[in-house]
Amino acid sequence: MPRKNVIDAKAKKVDEVADQLQKAVSAIVVDYRGLSVAQDTDLRKQLRDNDVSMSVIKNKILERAADKADVKDLKDTFVGPTAVAFSDEDPVAPAKILKNFADDNPELEIKGGIIEGKIASLDEINEFAALPSREELLSTLANILKDPIRKVAYAVNAVVDKDDNGDDSDAA
């Protein structure tokens, strides 16, 4: 009986991971070997703050989930201790956070991943990491849109001031 329970639990885990791989806008595979508990805690906090989850998953489960999710090319990255950072919203966030963290902590090794449904090499992940985050892009867009509105407001204010000054000079 315990054998069937174990097999059922593993099959359920494979289904969950396959679902995560399919739904995630990005999933970055890393080797976390050598990170201290403090470093791991810091990394997970940074990821959590950006709505990214990271799970340590057995390679056999990842391999079966990759087959099921039809991302077989990712299976080459499932060697050694493996963790996967999943993001359902921002495709850039996991790449950016993990790249910055790996720059400061060489123990963390980025192996590969999936970005917007396509297998991403280490070079592609590094390119994504260099992109501005969603929040940075929205902030830039807001500033771009704010500038013309401000100029129109200044122009309208100048016309009103001119009319006010013009009316006062006529009365005097």
Side-chain angles (χ1 to χ4, degrees):
M1 280 292 180
R3 181 92 172 120
K4 182 172 177 11
N5 290 344
V6 170
I7 291 171
D8 290 345
K10 286 182 179 180
K12 183 178 177 185
K13 184 66 176 173
V14 167
D15 290 341
E16 289 172 4
V17 173
D19 190 47
Q20 280 184 300
L21 287 171
Q22 288 174 329
K23 287 183 180 178
V25 291
S26 69
I28 308 297
V29 181
V30 297
D31 180 343
Y32 60 92
R33 183 180 14 203
L35 289 181
S36 69
V37 172
Q39 288 170 317
D40 183 59
T41 302
D42 181 38
L43 175 60
R44 287 177 185 270
K45 181 184 181 326
Q46 289 179 41
L47 291 167
R48 242 187 341 269
D49 289 347
N50 289 279
D51 297 322
V52 178
S53 64
M54 186 169 85
S55 301
V56 174
I57 305 169
K58 290 184 176 188
N59 290 332
K60 279 293 181 193
I61 289 176
L62 283 168
E63 288 173 11
R64 291 181 178 138
D67 284 338
K68 190 168 187 169
D70 199 29
V71 289
K72 294 172 181 76
D73 293 340
L74 194 61
K75 288 168 62 171
D76 296 340
T77 63
F78 306 144
V79 178
T82 304
V84 184
F86 296 98
S87 176
D88 294 337
E89 296 175 15
D90 187 354
V92 176
K96 183 178 279 297
I97 294 165
L98 291 168
K99 169 78 168 90
N100 290 340
F101 193 86
D103 287 346
D104 295 337
N105 302 281
E107 299 87 4
L108 183 74
E109 176 192 350
I110 299 172
K111 299 181 191 180
I114 303 168
I115 298 177
E116 295 186 331
K118 296 181 181 157
I119 302 298
S121 67
L122 184 57
D123 291 336
E124 291 169 321
I125 291 170
N126 288 334
E127 288 175 19
F128 264 85
L131 293 174
S133 70
R134 182 176 186 272
E135 288 75 23
E136 291 168 333
L137 288 172
L138 289 174
S139 175
T140 301
L141 178 62
N143 285 332
I144 289 170
L145 294 174
K146 183 174 69 174
D147 192 46
I149 294 169
R150 188 182 53 196
K151 287 179 180 177
V152 168
Y154 284 143
V156 169
N157 195 27
V159 169
V160 169
D161 286 347
K162 182 178 177 187
D163 285 347
D164 286 345
N165 291 338
D167 289 343
D168 290 344
S169 63
D170 290 343

